[in-house]
Structures are given as structure tokens and as C-alpha cells.
Amino acid sequence: MSHIIFHDTPTLKRPVLIAAFAGWNDAGRAATMAAQHLITSWSAPRFAELDPDEFYDFTASRPWVGNGENSNRAITWPGVQLHAHQSDGDGIDAIIMLGTEPGLRWK
């Protein structure tokens, strides 16, 4: 069983991996905001995510609760998403890994 949930399979040529994990090691959210900027400026679609049940202790990495659509409560569980950027001539194919740093089974 794969611990990666694929939504799409991008065709990338020799991609680099850019990883940004939120948490105590994120230096004032610098890594998270840089990765979010790349995702936005490159319009990099999400193509996969890690199965959160396999990598998080939800008593240590708690979900966030906020307002969703129509002011209904929305729960956001910790997780890691993978976004892909295919170059348009700039020569950079990239996978951007963004999310909460996993606490279990992480080598």
C-alpha cells in the first residue's frame, strides 16, 4: 500500500525537490511562505499528498479549526501536499513539498 495519494501524474524532467515544513523549525514561517509563493507564482497544481494517518500523531500535531464556506466550521488536518511545476523554457521542473513536518515513520 502506498503512503502517497496521487491525484494526477505530472510529466517532469529531472525535477528538483523543494521541501518546506511548518512548525518550530520554520524560522518565522519563512520556508512555508517561500514555498507558497512558488506554488502561486508558478501556478503549480497539487498532484499528490501524504496519507496523514500514517505520519502524524494527532495528539501532538493538532488540526486547525476555522471558518469555512458560509461561516461553517472547517477542520484542517495536518498533512503534506506535493505540487508540480513544469518549465516553460526556464529549464526548471520542480516538486514543491509543503505541510506540517511528519512526526511518525519519517526517515
Side-chain angles (χ1 to χ4, degrees):
M1 177 177 167
S2 175
H3 299 301
I4 301 175
I5 302 164
F6 285 93
H7 305 289
D8 193 11
T9 307
T11 304
L12 303 173
K13 296 177 185 159
R14 298 175 32 140
V16 296
L17 174 66
I18 301 166
F21 295 114
W24 66 270
N25 61 344
D26 196 7
R29 293 185 35 87
T32 298
M33 290 191 310
Q36 288 171 333
H37 173 74
L38 290 175
I39 291 167
T40 301
S41 64
W42 283 340
S43 300
R46 180 182 65 145
F47 73 93
E49 59 191 290
L50 294 182
D51 180 359
D53 290 336
E54 297 295 324
F55 295 98
Y56 294 98
D57 171 3
F58 294 116
T59 62
S61 297
R62 307 294 275 176
W64 288 82
V65 178
N67 291 330
E69 294 182 28
N70 300 325
S71 297
N72 292 329
R73 184 172 25 164
I75 298 174
T76 304
W77 293 91
V80 172
Q81 297 183 349
L82 299 162
H83 297 259
H85 167 68
Q86 293 177 290
S87 68
D88 292 330
D90 60 7
I92 301 171
D93 281 2
I95 295 173
I96 306 160
M97 177 185 276
L98 177 62
T100 305
E101 182 177 11
L104 302 172
R105 296 174 189 84
W106 194 242
K107 296 181 181 184

